[in-house]
Amino acid sequence: MRAYTRASAWTAGTFLALVAVMLTSATIGPVRIPLDRVALAALDAFAVPTAATFYVTSVAVPAVGDLPWLTVDLVYSSPLDFAVPDQQQLIVGEIRLPRIVLGAVVGAALAVAGTVMQGFFRNPMADPSIIGVSSGAAVGAVTAIAFPLFLPFGIQVSAFAGALVAAFGVYLLATEGGRTPVATLLLAGVAVQTFLGAITSYVIVHSGDSIREAMYWLMGHLHLANWSDVELTLPVVLVGSVVLLAYARDLNVLLAGEEDAHTLGVEVERTKRVLLAVSSVVTAAAVSVAGVIGFVGLVVPHVMRLLVGPDHRVLLPTSAFAGGAFLVAADTFARAGPAELPVGIVTAFVGAPFFLYLLRNREVHAL
């Protein structure tokens, strides 16, 4: 009971911090908008789906032809209508909020996946890219940018598919006889990351005029965010995070070692498969819309572990909200200067010194 009370208190605190960071971020930009107007405009922008239209289109697949594709159009309406000037409502509701909300979703996804990976591998240096998810997404996205006729599915779909193929490829390489040793999985992930990095470099070298777009995608970005990106990413991240939270107790037990976890009634191999699969899907959803953003999944879980302790029942939800707040703050800094920076550069400026701090700290040796 005490753990759930602590989880509720810390989760509420970090959620309020996330809301405060998001509202403050929405006041910053070429046009300054007071905080109270931002809050009212954000409430006006809140909408719920009231109708849906389903129709079948087609998608061209090389060497296969056109395949049917089910498309869904949702109709949204807002239940609130506060008096906000049209210009400020447009800036907040259609320009700043999509980017801020997507930043919060992506930050939460990377932080949750990083927390699970560090617990799963019992390695404080683990992050969501450790099993090749980010590298696979990079290959898919860069190939779609450089050779759009070869991958005609769009950058996001190609990145998502590349991430999943890489993650499950690593899993299959590391699995033998129904068992997946953590050390083998880790080494297979490093090898696949290196191999996919070479493919990405080769594609970039031959990308011609698309090299700038490819490099920008690789550095992480949120400047093209829209509500459609949020609609695609939020449900995946939300459902995945709930599933991972349901396995928080098993993750706690796995920290004691697989043999002890089996003795305590945990189905070790099944739990490992679920944790890996769901973490990979959550990471793939985030990377496909925002590019490769490093260090969020490494830094945030460590900071929250220092604050709330190692219990994943508390650590997972607090890391999610803290990760969202961290990425929104980093993106605000990235777009507030005279020349906008890719947000991945800002997170690396913060994450790299913290990584070096970890190398000098006892947290490297114990979770």
Side-chain angles (χ1 to χ4, degrees):
M1 186 64 185
R2 181 178 296 178
Y4 289 107
T5 302
R6 288 184 63 242
S8 300
W10 276 104
T11 300
T14 48
F15 173 74
L16 292 176
L18 171 61
V19 172
V21 171
M22 293 174 69
L23 292 177
T24 303
S25 175
T27 67
I28 299 173
V31 178
R32 294 277 176 171
I33 302 176
L35 184 61
D36 58 333
R37 294 282 181 81
V38 165
L40 294 178
L43 291 173
D44 281 348
F46 176 75
V48 294
T50 55
T53 303
F54 297 86
Y55 56 93
V56 178
T57 59
S58 62
V59 58
V61 179
V64 176
D66 292 344
L67 293 178
W69 186 266
L70 180 63
T71 303
V72 181
D73 277 345
L74 297 176
V75 177
Y76 291 87
S77 62
S78 174
L80 303 173
D81 185 20
F82 293 102
V84 180
D86 291 343
Q87 183 190 30
Q88 294 181 352
Q89 182 65 51
L90 178 66
I91 292 173
V92 174
E94 298 300 327
I95 299 175
R96 296 181 185 171
L97 272 186
R99 178 171 182 162
I100 292 170
V101 174
L102 186 65
V105 172
V106 170
L110 296 176
V112 166
T115 303
V116 172
M117 290 297 176
Q118 290 173 7
F120 179 90
F121 286 101
R122 299 193 293 277
N123 185 334
M125 294 296 114
D127 71 1
S129 65
I130 198 167
I131 56 172
V133 177
S134 298
S135 301
V139 171
V142 170
T143 304
I145 292 171
F147 307 107
L149 295 178
F150 184 71
L151 285 179
F153 313 108
I155 298 174
Q156 293 179 3
V157 174
S158 300
F160 187 79
L164 294 186
V165 168
F168 286 99
V170 169
Y171 172 76
L172 292 176
L173 286 171
T175 300
E176 185 173 358
R179 293 188 68 254
T180 311
V182 171
T184 307
L185 189 66
L186 181 62
L187 293 174
V190 172
V192 171
Q193 275 192 72
T194 305
F195 178 72
L196 294 177
I199 294 177
T200 302
S201 299
Y202 178 84
V203 174
I204 289 175
V205 167
H206 293 83
S207 60
D209 296 337
S210 302
I211 188 171
R212 180 182 175 85
E213 184 181 359
M215 293 301 297
Y216 210 82
W217 190 94
L218 289 175
M219 288 188 285
H221 60 86
L222 290 168
H223 67 290
L224 297 176
N226 54 52
W227 284 121
S228 296
D229 294 332
V230 177
E231 290 175 12
L232 290 173
T233 312
L234 179 59
V236 178
V237 174
L238 190 60
V239 172
S241 299
V242 170
V243 172
L244 293 174
L245 184 60
Y247 279 83
R249 178 189 169 277
D250 291 349
L251 199 52
N252 286 342
V253 178
L254 280 174
L255 288 177
E258 293 184 11
E259 292 185 3
D260 291 340
H262 181 73
T263 304
L264 292 172
V266 175
E267 295 185 32
V268 174
E269 293 302 324
R270 183 176 67 87
T271 301
K272 287 162 60 178
R273 285 195 293 271
V274 171
L275 292 175
L276 273 179
V278 178
S279 299
S280 299
V281 171
V282 168
T283 305
V287 175
S288 65
V289 295
V292 180
I293 299 176
F295 290 106
V296 177
L298 174 66
V299 172
V300 173
H302 278 293
V303 172
M304 294 313 301
R305 193 175 287 110
L306 291 172
L307 291 174
V308 305
D311 188 341
H312 287 88
R313 292 171 295 181
V314 185
L315 187 58
L316 278 171
T318 54
S319 293
F321 292 128
F326 173 70
L327 191 57
V328 171
D331 184 58
T332 304
F333 182 83
R335 65 180 171 83
E340 181 169 331
L341 296 171
V343 67
I345 294 179
V346 179
T347 59
F349 267 122
V350 176
F354 190 80
F355 187 88
L356 296 174
Y357 161 77
L358 288 176
L359 292 177
R360 304 282 299 176
N361 190 279
R362 64 182 174 81
E363 292 296 321
V364 171
H365 306 289
L367 288 171

